[in-house]
Amino acid sequence: MGLIWEISLAEFGFVTVLLGGGAAWLAGRALARSWEPAWKAALWMVPLAAAVRFIHYALFSGSLLTLHYFVVDLVILIALALVGHRVTLAGRMARQYGWLYERAGPFGWRRRDREGAA
């Protein structure tokens, strides 16, 4: 047993990071595409973390009602959902408001320089 994973690192990577993290990323993207705030993405990760805990329990004989591992799963899912939300929102701002903003890295946007403005 590890501090972060319960059964094995491979099981943790597959269930929490790949399956749950992929769902978290897509949920964050979906909320950003409908202009919802980032806190809603974090809130929706609570039932997803419970589902990930159930998969750990049902498929790999992990514990179902362990607060420690639930919080670990929840933190990882929230982080991935927020990253997905921010990346999508940054792209959307630069694409939809291209005359006003330009992309500034994967997570941000900045105001375009107006040429000829005094």
Side-chain angles (χ1 to χ4, degrees):
M1 265 198 204
L3 188 59
I4 296 177
W5 60 84
E6 184 176 16
I7 305 298
S8 71
L9 181 59
E11 175 260 342
F12 173 78
F14 176 68
V15 176
T16 300
V17 178
L18 190 66
L19 294 180
W25 178 275
L26 292 174
R29 281 189 54 170
L31 289 166
R33 292 182 75 171
S34 62
W35 298 104
E36 296 290 340
W39 66 265
K40 284 190 179 181
L43 186 65
W44 277 108
M45 293 306 105
V46 174
L48 183 60
V52 166
R53 259 305 78 211
F54 179 75
I55 293 171
H56 283 291
Y57 168 75
L59 297 181
F60 299 101
S61 300
S63 59
L64 180 62
L65 301 175
T66 305
L67 182 63
H68 171 77
Y69 293 118
F70 177 79
V71 170
V72 168
D73 290 342
L74 182 62
V75 166
I76 290 170
L77 296 177
I78 287 174
L80 289 170
L82 292 178
V83 168
H85 184 274
R86 187 62 183 193
V87 167
T88 304
L89 192 61
R92 189 163 179 141
M93 288 294 288
R95 195 169 31 257
Q96 187 162 343
Y97 302 108
W99 73 92
L100 191 58
Y101 299 113
E102 63 185 0
R103 195 83 185 245
F107 300 110
W109 59 91
R110 65 176 165 249
R111 190 178 265 300
R112 277 194 187 274
D113 292 332
R114 299 208 145 194
E115 295 178 19

